[in-house]
Amino acid sequence: MTARDWQRGPEQEGLPLSRYRVVDFGTAWAGPMAAQLLADLGAEVIKVESRERMDGLRLGRPIVGDDIAGGDRGLWPELQPVFHGINRNKLSVTLNLKTDDGLSLARELLARSDVAINNYSPGVLGRLGLTYQEMRQLRPDIVLVSMPALGEAGPLRDVLAYAPIIQALSGLMSVVGYSEEEPLVGELQAPWSDVVAAIHAALAAVAALRHRNLTGRGQFIEVAQLEATTSMLGEAFLEYQMTGSAPLPRGNFDPACAPHNNYPCAEPDRWVAIAVGSEEEWEAFCQALEGPAWAREGRFDTLAHRLENVAELDSLVSDWTRQRTAQDITALLQAHGVAAMPVMNIEDQFLDPHLQERRAYLEVEHPHVGIEWLYGMPWLLGSTPGGISRPAPLLGQHNDYILGDLLGLPAGEIERLQAEQVIY
């Protein structure tokens, strides 16, 4: 049994990426999530981090755990639930990259790895002596994935940005909300752009590995988070190009469906989403409602007319939905072939039979937190679905394996480097 096999759980054997090693230099959300997706599919992902500058998601007062006053130098870095989700299945090595010895060890690790992922600002890798050309000197066929906020080149390259800024610059913020007069409160603060960029980067890394298997050549991949986000706004850009008008927020309005909205139900603050597209779906919708007289009026007889009178249509549909529960509406409309689903809160999502069957949430036991729920795989492959085989690592949890077994450092050398805060 090799040292590498010793670290692998049985759940990872035979997964699509089980023969690859990834060095994760990422911090916060985008880079680490890209590496996490590869780890979920079996890759051995080694997170390079340090107490000198901890991953931002390790920092701050946690919402779980019993260590009330530990602070960022106590147990708090091990208690952050978001960090646990984005860094599950990984190994942790603590290398201080501000030291020459720390960088030397990072280079040795890269020489034994297949992929390196980072979401540093432009120029950081260069200052560390870890550009793609320098990495190729360590391993000629390495794949480097860089995820700068706004790109490695161009007039915005030096802008430091987290998700809300990227989402604003991409144009996404301008189309989020109910209307120009009634924007969504707080805009879009969720790090949507990080997730989008992470999925792009993970797919690009897998494609590059396939290319390497066919040609023997590695690749340098740039996934600018701004560009990944912008790529998801195709309709908005086409609308501007074709009409000259900048798209505005329009809530749940859809130019291809009517009704298309979230409608109030009989229970307090409960809603149901309904979408009716084709004329066949409209006929089925009317049958489910037992043919109300208003549904036969000329103002609703075609999709074009329904869109012209969508406010009145929404009001009439709301009058009907307010008399029924979300579950009853969903069952009735789905039985007639109409798209409908309750608007779910967090509890609903956990208890939903479909999401449970799809393993959308998985139980994981963390050594300092105990059992916690983490989001599952965003996709499930038939024979190799992937999953979570180990919780997020503690800081430096796998130093002995990575530095001793993998890189071959003797115990005395590891102790010296720890005393000098190289392994820190």
Side-chain angles (χ1 to χ4, degrees), residues 279 282-283 294-306 308-309:
E279 294 303 326
W282 171 249
E283 290 299 323
W294 57 261
R296 300 303 174 188
E297 296 177 8
R299 57 180 174 158
F300 301 135
D301 61 352
T302 66
L303 175 61
H305 288 159
R306 292 193 291 275
E308 289 175 0
N309 299 283

Side-chain angles (χ1 to χ4, degrees), residues 231-246:
S231 74
M232 306 300 290
L233 301 173
E235 291 183 358
F237 280 97
L238 283 173
E239 181 179 342
Y240 176 73
Q241 291 175 343
M242 297 174 69
T243 68
S245 299

Side-chain angles (χ1 to χ4, degrees), residues 193-257:
S193 60
D194 287 72
V195 177
V196 169
I199 295 173
H200 278 71
L203 178 59
V206 171
L209 288 172
R210 182 176 185 276
H211 173 81
R212 192 184 75 174
N213 291 341
L214 295 173
T215 67
R217 297 192 297 271
Q219 290 191 35
F220 170 54
I221 300 166
E222 177 192 316
V223 181
Q225 295 176 49
L226 174 65
E227 294 174 1
T229 305
T230 301
S231 74
M232 306 300 290
L233 301 173
E235 291 183 358
F237 280 97
L238 283 173
E239 181 179 342
Y240 176 73
Q241 291 175 343
M242 297 174 69
T243 68
S245 299
L248 298 173
R250 54 189 183 187
N252 294 320
F253 175 80
D254 189 307
C257 295

Side-chain angles (χ1 to χ4, degrees), residues 88-223:
R88 78 277 190 103
N89 287 333
K90 297 181 186 180
L91 312 180
S92 171
V93 61
T94 46
L95 295 179
N96 185 355
L97 300 184
K98 293 184 178 181
T99 66
D100 291 339
D101 286 340
L103 281 171
S104 178
L105 291 171
R107 292 188 180 98
E108 291 187 40
L109 182 57
L110 288 166
R112 293 166 172 80
S113 301
D114 302 284
V115 179
I117 294 178
N118 77 94
N119 58 324
Y120 292 146
S121 299
V124 172
L125 283 182
R127 292 191 292 274
L128 293 174
L130 295 176
T131 64
Y132 176 57
Q133 294 303 324
E134 289 166 316
M135 287 189 189
R136 288 188 64 194
Q137 300 301 312
L138 305 170
R139 174 156 184 169
D141 62 352
I142 197 166
V143 173
L144 172 61
V145 182
S146 287
M147 304 173 64
L150 308 181
E152 295 283 352
L156 299 178
R157 71 182 296 273
D158 294 323
V159 174
L160 302 179
Y162 282 98
I165 296 175
I166 294 169
Q167 290 158 188
L169 289 172
S170 72
L172 175 63
M173 291 287 201
S174 68
V175 296
V176 172
Y178 298 109
S179 68
E180 190 175 17
E181 294 76 27
E182 189 184 0
L184 181 66
V185 175
E187 297 295 339
L188 184 61
Q189 293 299 316
W192 188 80
S193 60
D194 287 72
V195 177
V196 169
I199 295 173
H200 278 71
L203 178 59
V206 171
L209 288 172
R210 182 176 185 276
H211 173 81
R212 192 184 75 174
N213 291 341
L214 295 173
T215 67
R217 297 192 297 271
Q219 290 191 35
F220 170 54
I221 300 166
E222 177 192 316
V223 181

